[in-house]
């Protein structure tokens, strides 16, 4: 049976997660946040005192490391070597570590294999940076979600502040961090963040969440 695989890519803070979760819920299918998997690997490296940029130490760590996900009532739990790390991976330090560790080709190969296996076995909305260009390029359902870096920084700051995190960070600092992460994600040699020509472009700068979700759903329904 042909699986419904939906790829939602774009830079940090563009609204991908919110849109992906809402679309998955509306369609009654699985939601997979692939960034959480990169974050889990970064967390392990940092706990071991390994710099996520240091491929010579990260690569040997990979065979003994398992990253898996499970869905609990539509909410993704991310497991690192069997431990639920869903909360711990949500800091800016881990976000940067994930961006850095994602530059290492062996890391990408390991996680992409796991993501392809999930896509083969389930209808899924998969959110990331290179899902439509590299992980499941054969899918006809590809979206590239973005927004201005000002707006993305404001959203990310609101999200973190709501959780009581990074309370002393300014808008300017957050914008600089987001732009640095965009640069790393877009310039890595293996599977960078790019907008593929067949992805539907969604600029959420001036869109409400509902508008963005309805727009994406309408495009999916038009094709299926
Ligand atoms: O989506 P996020 O903010 O949780 O992602 C954190 C970092 O992980 C992101 O800056 C780059 C990396 N990442 C990646 O390289 N490929 C993905 N499919 C998802 C995330």
């Amino acid at each position: 049976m042909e699986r419904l695989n939906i790829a939602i890519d774009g830079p940090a803070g563009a609204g991908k997660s919110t849109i992906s979760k809402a679309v998955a819920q509306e369609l009654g299918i699985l939601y997979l946040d692939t960034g959480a998997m990169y974050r889990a690997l970064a967390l392990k490296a940092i706990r071991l005192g390994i710099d996520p940029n240091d491929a010579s130490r990260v690569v040997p760590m990979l065979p003994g490391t398992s990253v898996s996900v499970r869905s609990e009532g539509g909410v993704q739990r991310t497991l690192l070597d069997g431990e639920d790390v869903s909360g711990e991976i949500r800091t800016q330090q881990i976000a940067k570590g994930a961006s850095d560790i994602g530059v290492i080709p062996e890391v990408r190969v390991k996680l992409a294999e796991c993501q392809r296996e999930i896509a083969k076995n389930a209808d899924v909305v998969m959110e990331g940076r290179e899902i439509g260009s590299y992980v499941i390029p054969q899918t006809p359902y590809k979206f590239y979600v973005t927004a201005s870096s000002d707006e993305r920084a404001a959203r990310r700051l609101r999200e973190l502040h709501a959780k009581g995190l990074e309370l002393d960070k300014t808008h300017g600092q957050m914008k600089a961090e987001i732009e640095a992460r965009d640069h790393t994600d877009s310039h890595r040699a293996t599977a960078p963040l790019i907008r593929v020509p067949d992805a539907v472009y969604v600029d959420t700068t001036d869109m409400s969440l509902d508008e963005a979700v309805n727009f994406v759903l309408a495009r999916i329904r038009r094709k299926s």
Side-chain angles (χ1 to χ4, degrees):
M1 190 180 78
E2 184 92 351
R3 290 292 183 189
L4 177 58
N5 289 164
I6 298 166
I8 302 201
D9 292 307
K16 292 188 309 283
S17 302
T18 322
I19 295 171
S20 303
K21 277 182 214 161
V23 168
Q25 192 179 17
E26 181 65 29
L27 298 176
I29 65 177
L30 192 69
Y31 158 66
L32 182 70
D33 166 14
T34 62
M37 302 169 87
Y38 288 86
R39 286 171 182 254
L41 280 185
L43 175 65
K44 175 147 180 181
I46 288 167
R47 280 179 176 175
L48 292 173
I50 295 175
D51 177 351
N53 281 301
D54 185 351
S56 73
R57 296 191 66 202
V58 168
V59 173
M61 181 190 91
L62 297 176
T65 303
S66 94
V67 174
S68 59
V69 293
R70 71 184 146 77
S71 181
E72 262 175 27
V75 176
Q76 174 171 319
R77 308 307 302 183
T78 307
L79 307 182
L80 169 65
D81 298 328
E83 176 194 349
D84 187 337
V85 294
S86 312
E88 216 177 318
I89 56 176
R90 291 293 146 202
T91 64
Q92 280 299 101
Q93 185 204 12
I94 299 295
K96 177 174 186 315
S99 185
D100 290 339
I101 215 164
V103 171
I104 302 171
E106 288 86 347
V107 165
R108 306 211 68 82
V109 168
K110 179 182 172 97
L111 295 185
E113 265 171 22
C114 170
Q115 292 153 11
R116 287 188 188 118
E117 202 51 36
I118 294 172
K120 205 167 76 183
N121 294 307
D123 294 338
V124 60
V125 178
M126 209 178 273
E127 174 213 329
R129 298 290 185 291
E130 50 9 320
I131 307 303
S133 59
Y134 176 73
V135 178
I136 44 169
Q138 70 285 359
T139 182
Y141 303 102
K142 297 182 191 180
F143 295 87
Y144 187 86
V145 179
T146 191
S148 70
S149 55
D150 251 327
E151 178 62 21
R152 292 190 285 121
R155 288 179 189 166
R156 211 15 87 87
L157 212 52
R158 274 200 301 272
E159 242 171 63
L160 288 166
H161 286 182
K163 291 182 194 155
L165 297 169
E166 321 267 346
L167 293 174
D168 53 358
K169 187 153 287 171
T170 64
H171 177 84
Q173 285 167 331
M174 180 58 76
K175 188 174 162 190
E177 282 180 17
I178 280 201
E179 286 176 347
R181 200 137 68 86
D182 288 352
H183 188 270
T184 309
D185 295 350
S186 319
H187 290 82
R188 64 179 177 236
T190 309
L193 166 67
I194 47 163
R195 178 184 160 198
V196 286
D198 55 335
V200 177
Y201 187 72
V202 190
D203 184 339
T204 66
T205 308
D206 298 313
M207 264 188 187
S208 72
L209 167 64
D210 277 353
E211 281 168 340
V213 170
N214 288 334
F215 177 81
V216 170
L217 281 170
R219 297 301 289 247
I220 294 168
R221 290 188 171 124
R222 203 186 297 170
K223 279 198 187 218
S224 49

